[in-house]
Amino acid sequence: MSFFKKIFSKEKKETLDKGLEKTKTSFFSKLSKAVAGKAKVDDDVLDNLEEVLVSSDVGVETTLKIIDRIEERVSKDKYLGTDELNQILREEIAGLLSETNTGDETEFTIPANKKPYVLMVVGVNGVGKTTTIGKLASQFKKKGLKVVLGAADTFRAAAIDQLQVWADRTDVPIVRQEMGSDPASVAFDTVQSGVNQDADVIIIDTAGRLHNKVNLMNELTKIKRVMQKVIPDAPHDVLLVLDGSTGQNAFEQAKQFTKATEVTSLAVTKLDGTAKGGVVIGISDQFQIPVKYIGVGEGIDDLQVFNKHEFVDSFFK
């Protein structure tokens, strides 16, 4: 089927396959039990399939959408064998991802008309936010782009130090102040420094505190406001990093952050260590925010651009 043409290099594809292995194994062992002894897709099979999707962290609302689509096909085709279910699921999930305007990229790119391109990264502590920033810096640098990092998560000394480690490792400049400094001041200095250095990409780390949404909202609004004194349309992207291994908790975090600030893209990390990869499908559908990157391993190259064709192909391989 031309829809699933090969896009990634062999090496990149193998990394993705390996990263989704646990999710795939868990999903298909549940699916085979759901259709055991059944020759055709009937109400029982659909009920069981619903359970499989929900328990694979696809999310209730997205699961019901998928089930509705399959029911429509069953009523249209009158007879659908359970052996065709894989292909139908594959097509419907890919179709769902297509509707969220997500997953068409194949490379790490930035818009040609935005220089410097300002990326503000949000997410709670522990989701892999700083690591994702470091890996993004590395990927952009490999593309020949000049990157500047900003350590505006000033509430944790560890966050500043961790970003410094990544800056040293990828050999990109970093703007930092002492722990407890005003995050907006760091963001302002970073953007100013990026402009002065003729940077292509500016990536700003922000604090990941959710216990007080009002404070978080005020802080992120202030950071945006001061950046706009230097670059009027900054930030060009607000990337929310979510830990895929937390399943339904990732949905909750997405809900809280989308209330606190305008999130324009998502990165879902730690998919290799979990059977909860279905969360990518649910979150992208529920929030209608494009998934841009997925983390499928610990290596510096294991952060990949999210491509729906390759993701679904690996999921159903």
Side-chain angles (χ1 to χ4, degrees):
M1 193 178 177
S2 63
F3 188 83
F4 295 103
K5 59 184 183 293
K6 297 289 173 244
I7 298 163
F8 283 4
S9 67
K10 184 170 178 279
E11 195 180 15
K12 209 157 139 188
K13 182 64 169 168
E14 281 169 1
T15 303
L16 182 60
D17 289 347
K18 194 173 163 217
L20 293 177
E21 189 63 41
K22 286 186 181 174
T23 295
K24 192 177 89 168
T25 305
S26 166
F27 181 78
F28 284 105
S29 73
K30 289 175 187 171
L31 188 61
S32 60
K33 283 176 195 156
V35 299
K38 297 280 188 181
K40 71 185 185 85
V41 178
D42 58 15
D43 287 348
D44 275 354
V45 168
L46 288 171
D47 284 348
N48 292 342
L49 176 60
E50 189 176 314
E51 211 173 290
V52 169
L53 289 166
V54 170
S55 66
S56 299
D57 288 277
V58 171
V60 175
E61 286 179 45
T62 305
T63 292
L64 293 175
K65 273 191 196 178
I66 294 168
I67 296 295
D68 283 348
R69 288 167 179 234
I70 293 172
E71 275 181 333
E72 214 174 285
R73 288 180 68 158
V74 170
S75 66
K76 211 186 321 182
D77 299 349
K78 296 299 175 222
Y79 183 93
L80 277 179
T82 49
D83 53 345
E84 296 165 83
L85 196 53
N86 273 8
Q87 185 60 30
I88 295 162
L89 263 173
R90 178 179 169 143
E91 288 166 14
E92 294 306 339
I93 287 170
L96 205 61
L97 288 169
S98 297
E99 288 165 21
T100 64
N101 188 26
T102 198
D104 290 316
E105 296 298 329
T106 56
E107 298 291 340
F108 287 85
T109 56
I110 56 166
N113 61 341
K114 303 281 183 198
K115 184 178 173 177
Y117 184 70
V118 182
L119 174 58
M120 183 167 111
V121 185
V122 301
V124 299
N125 300 330
V127 295
K129 184 163 54 83
T130 312
T131 302
T132 298
I133 292 169
K135 289 179 179 180
L136 273 175
S138 171
Q139 294 290 356
F140 286 135
K141 194 177 177 195
K142 276 184 190 168
K143 294 284 174 195
L145 299 169
K146 185 164 188 185
V147 183
V148 172
L149 299 180
D153 183 352
T154 58
F155 290 88
R156 291 186 312 132
I160 301 171
D161 294 342
Q162 195 188 353
L163 199 63
Q164 181 69 60
V165 168
W166 275 105
D168 296 342
R169 190 175 171 188
T170 52
D171 193 26
V172 300
I174 180 172
V175 174
R176 57 177 288 178
Q177 292 178 15
E178 293 309 305
M179 182 189 162
S181 307
D182 179 12
S185 161
V186 180
F188 179 85
D189 288 353
T190 306
V191 175
Q192 192 68 69
S193 174
V195 169
N196 294 344
Q197 293 181 61
D198 196 29
D200 297 294
V201 188
I202 297 168
I203 310 177
I204 294 174
D205 189 11
T206 63
R209 298 159 307 134
L210 260 185
H211 58 267
N212 187 328
K213 282 203 299 294
V214 176
N215 280 1
L216 179 69
M217 200 181 293
N218 292 344
E219 184 182 300
L220 295 176
T221 303
K222 186 180 173 190
I223 288 173
K224 283 181 175 182
R225 201 169 57 241
V226 301
M227 288 197 279
Q228 286 163 359
K229 289 179 180 174
V230 187
I231 299 171
D233 60 347
H236 303 111
D237 191 4
V238 178
L239 176 72
L240 171 60
V241 181
L242 298 166
D243 177 350
S245 70
T246 63
Q248 290 308 297
N249 197 24
F251 276 87
E252 192 51 39
Q253 286 174 23
K255 200 185 288 180
Q256 301 299 343
F257 269 98
T258 50
K259 281 179 188 165
T261 190
E262 188 196 353
V263 174
T264 51
S265 65
L266 302 169
V268 185
T269 64
K270 307 183 188 182
L271 291 174
D272 53 308
T274 179
K276 297 173 184 285
V279 77
V280 174
I281 301 159
I283 282 177
S284 107
D285 171 55
Q286 295 284 288
F287 295 95
Q288 293 294 303
I289 297 169
V291 176
K292 261 196 184 173
Y293 311 108
I294 54 173
V296 288
E298 289 180 16
I300 203 161
D301 292 326
D302 293 340
L303 181 74
Q304 294 194 347
V305 291
F306 176 69
N307 183 279
K308 61 178 173 258
H309 307 293
E310 295 290 13
F311 179 85
V312 174
D313 184 66
S314 288
F315 196 78
F316 285 94
K317 213 167 187 182

